[in-house]
Amino acid sequence: MSLQDDQNFARETCARIIANLPPAILKKEAGLTARLEASKLTPLKKLAAIYDFLDDLAKYIAPTPCRKGCSSCCHYAVSISEVEVQFIEQVAKMKRLKVAREPGDFNGQPCPFLVNGACSIYSARPYSCRRHHSLAPTAEWCAPEKSFAGDFARAQSSEAQLAFDLVREMRTLGDIRQVFGSAPLR
Ligand code: SF4
C-alpha cells in the first residue's frame, strides 16, 4: 500500500475509535484538568492519574501494529519533564545523570531504557511514550528513517494533554537520553 493509502487507513481507524469510545472513558476524560487543578494531590500523584487515564484509553486503541518487540518509536527523540523524571526515579528506581548531557539530535538512537526490544520501565514510561500508538496497517512508517514521511492520524486526548501541561508546568528538561544517558541502563 502507498503512504497515502496507509494515512487514509489510519484516519478511518482513528475516527472509528473515537466514535466507539465507551461512556466510562469519556466520563473519565471530561474535566480531568479541572479535577486535578482543584485537587490537593502531589504533582507525582496527578501525573499518575493522567497515566491511569491514558492506559485506560489505550485499551480501546485498535487495530494497531504496535507489539512488544517492535521498538521503532523507542528510537525517536523523547522529551521529558522534571515531574516525569521524578516519576521514573520513584517508580522504576532509576537515577538521573548527575550532569545532564548536551542537547543533540537523538532520532535513530535507542532509548537507554530499551532492553532486548522492550521497555524496561514500562509502568514508569513518560507521557510521550504512552500517547504514541500507530494506527497505520503495518509498522512500516514507524521506522525512524521513514517516520517523517508524512503525518498520520492518532487517537489523542486534548484533555489529557491539557492536564499534562498543567502538571509539568509547560516545562521540558530535554530528551530522555540527556537526563538518563545514552547507554542501556540494565
Ligand atoms: S521509556 Fe520505554 S517506551 Fe519510552 S522510549 Fe524508552 S524504552 Fe521506549
Side-chain angles (χ1 to χ4, degrees):
M1 296 225 292
S2 68
L3 171 64
Q4 196 174 2
D5 287 340
D6 288 356
Q7 287 172 310
N8 289 340
F9 181 97
R11 196 174 309 113
E12 286 162 18
T13 302
C14 187
R16 200 163 50 244
I17 289 168
I18 290 168
N20 290 307
L21 283 175
I25 282 287
L26 299 175
K27 191 173 166 200
K28 195 166 181 177
E29 180 187 41
L32 178 65
T33 311
R35 281 198 305 281
L36 292 181
E37 201 164 18
S39 88
K40 293 195 180 342
L41 291 174
T42 64
L44 283 181
K45 289 209 163 115
K46 289 180 181 180
L47 185 62
I50 296 166
Y51 285 174
D52 180 61
F53 166 70
L54 291 177
D55 290 349
D56 274 358
L57 179 63
K59 293 173 194 158
Y60 300 95
I61 299 180
T64 166
C66 301
R67 299 279 178 274
K68 192 170 184 181
C70 172
S71 58
S72 288
C73 61
C74 300
H75 293 74
Y76 299 173
V78 177
S79 71
I80 195 163
S81 60
E82 175 62 34
V83 68
E84 293 167 279
V85 171
Q86 288 178 17
F87 195 91
I88 290 171
E89 291 184 319
Q90 186 175 96
V91 175
K93 310 290 180 218
M94 303 304 294
K95 285 278 165 230
R96 72 182 87 190
L97 297 173
K98 287 198 171 64
V99 180
R101 292 178 66 204
E102 292 293 316
D105 177 9
F106 297 103
N107 197 50
Q109 292 185 30
C111 171
F113 295 117
L114 183 65
V115 178
N116 297 327
C119 178
S120 61
I121 58 157
Y122 196 72
S123 60
R125 69 200 188 285
Y127 178 85
S128 65
C129 305
R130 290 169 196 263
R131 63 193 280 277
H132 196 95
H133 307 271
S134 172
L135 296 179
T138 72
E140 175 183 358
W141 305 104
C142 299
E145 66 276 14
K146 287 193 171 185
S147 60
F148 296 106
D151 287 334
F152 282 79
R154 287 202 274 157
Q156 305 289 359
S157 165
S158 53
E159 185 66 27
Q161 184 65 50
L162 266 179
F164 176 62
D165 286 342
L166 170 83
V167 173
R168 74 180 172 121
E169 298 176 332
M170 295 299 289
R171 288 205 290 266
T172 297
L173 288 180
D175 188 87
I176 197 166
R177 299 159 188 84
Q178 286 175 256
V179 182
F180 287 100
S182 56
L185 291 168
R186 285 180 194 165

